[in-house]
Each structure stands twice: as C-alpha cells, then as structure tokens.
Amino acid sequence: RPDLREALGERVARAGASTADARDAQGRPSVVEVVEQPAGVHGTVPAVLAARPYLAEEIVFGVANADDLYPLAALRALRGWDGPGHALAGFQLAHTLLPGSTELNRALCQTRAPAMDLVGLVEAVIIRPADPGSGPAPVSEPVPQWVAQSGPAPAPVPQWVAQIGPVSEPVPQWVVREFGSSEEAVVPATQLVSMNLWALRSTVWPLFEAAVSESGGQGEVLLPVVVGDAAAQGRAQVRVLPVEGRCVG
C-alpha cells in the first residue's frame, strides 16, 4: 500500500541505514526495509519472496500479518523455537474472536499427536456460537474429516485432533463451515487456528517459487495454503506451537 510504504520509508530514511548492507554479525537484517512486490503477483507468498534478498540463507526468519495484534507470548515461543522444519503459532479459536464476532475466516490446524506436527490447514468460516445444549458431535458418528473435535470421546479420537486441556471438561462450541462447502460442523473453542504467525527456514523457498510459477501470475498465492498443502503431502515439516494469549486480527 502506498500509504504504508511512504510511512515506513520515512522511518527507514531517518534511521540513516543503507538497505543491502544493513545486517548484524549473524547476517540478519538490522533495520526495517520496505519491500515492494513484483507487479502482477499477489498474496502472502510473493510478498515473503520479495524479502528474500534481505535474508541470510541459513537463518530462521519470522512472518507475521502487519495488521494483526499478537501477544508477546507468541513471539517469544517462535523466537525460542529451534526444532526441525518450520513452526506455526497455534491460537485457541476463542482467543481470536471478539464479543459478537460472526462470519470470520480462520484456518483450522489439523495436527498429528503427540508432537503437534501440522498435517493440514482448513480454511473455514466461523459462523456463530453453537447451541450450548447441542454438545460436541460424537466421534462414532460420521463427521467431516476436516473437523477437529474436543470434549468426551466415546471412541478413539483421530490422530490429527488438536486438543488443549482435559477432554473431560466441557468447552463452548462454534459452528463453522469449510470454504466452498455448505455443510456446517461444530468445533470447540479450544480448536487451534493459524493467525499467520510463522518461523520459516530457507527450505521454504522452493515451495514458494513453485507455487508462484504454477499460478501464472493469476489470483493470490497464499502462504497458509501453500505450506498447509505441503505439510499435508509430507513435503514440509511444520510444528504447531500452542500459545496462550489473545490475537486480534
């Protein structure tokens, strides 16, 4: 956006630092640099690719939404993470909703226990609070594969379920609908969701470059879709880090 570019550009200019050589002893950028996406390419993937020249190849770098407010605990969790592959901050759904929130888009995290490895991100619309008397959908009944359940489980719970806290405690429920579907389902307020806060390594660049190339410059190329699909297909390892605190965005 021109207004943001102008405002940030003034701050960088006041810092009196050159862009290409502004790095610390570890090769990390030491100042803010305003990077413009190539014309005709849209989305979070090309936006991150545009910053590649300013990032050392062997570092872990962070990606965040500029218009989201993240809790300090989430930033500390990613800053202190040093595991294999990539990492994603996972927020409890209830901690990303304001009073009266409806019809919001959220990416539901599907994880594999016990390590909390990501096996997919499901883009869904959060519609409304569920009827408190309805209770969670029993695991023994047919349930959409993209639903992560919580609450009492009369049958073995699927491995990809992301649960927080004892499952014996009742939690509020929300009605959701997957993008492109008219089918509604119920998920717990503790369902982990992505708010686009990542720690990534250089192994992500080939995934991003291939996704932009395959798009042919049409539409948006979104980071959660590309990384979520790669995780689901076993082409990327992503650890979901459950974090406390509210995220507004």
Side-chain angles (χ1 to χ4, degrees), residues 9 30 33 57-58 61 97 118 121 124 141 146 148 171 188 192 221 224 235 241 247:
S30 57
E33 166 62 2
E57 282 297 315
E58 299 305 320
F61 61 93
L97 304 174
L118 186 73
L121 284 172
E141 295 182 2
W146 48 271
V171 295
L192 294 183
V221 186
R235 295 184 292 115
L241 305 180
C247 180

Side-chain angles (χ1 to χ4, degrees), residues 13 32 38 80 82 106 114 133 152 154 196 205-206:
V32 173
D82 192 31
R106 291 290 182 265
N196 233 19
W205 298 131

Side-chain angles (χ1 to χ4, degrees), residues 49-168:
L49 274 173
R52 184 177 182 180
Y54 304 96
L55 298 171
E57 282 297 315
E58 299 305 320
I59 66 170
V60 178
F61 61 93
V63 176
N65 284 345
D67 56 354
D68 286 356
L69 300 178
Y70 299 104
L72 184 58
L75 302 177
R76 284 175 170 165
L78 289 180
R79 180 65 180 86
W81 176 80
D82 192 31
H86 317 289
L88 167 65
F91 296 89
Q92 294 187 35
L93 173 60
H95 293 170
T96 70
L97 304 174
L98 295 175
S101 295
T102 58
E103 299 292 330
L104 294 178
N105 298 337
R106 291 290 182 265
L108 311 182
C109 298
Q110 294 179 331
T111 60
R112 180 184 298 111
M116 297 297 286
D117 286 329
L118 186 73
V119 295
L121 284 172
V122 177
E123 297 290 336
V125 179
I126 311 303
I127 302 174
R128 62 183 182 278
D131 179 358
S134 63
V139 175
S140 56
E141 295 182 2
V143 177
Q145 288 296 306
W146 48 271
V147 174
Q149 300 180 63
S150 182
V157 178
Q159 292 250 321
W160 49 263
V161 172
Q163 300 188 60
I164 302 296
V167 297
S168 59

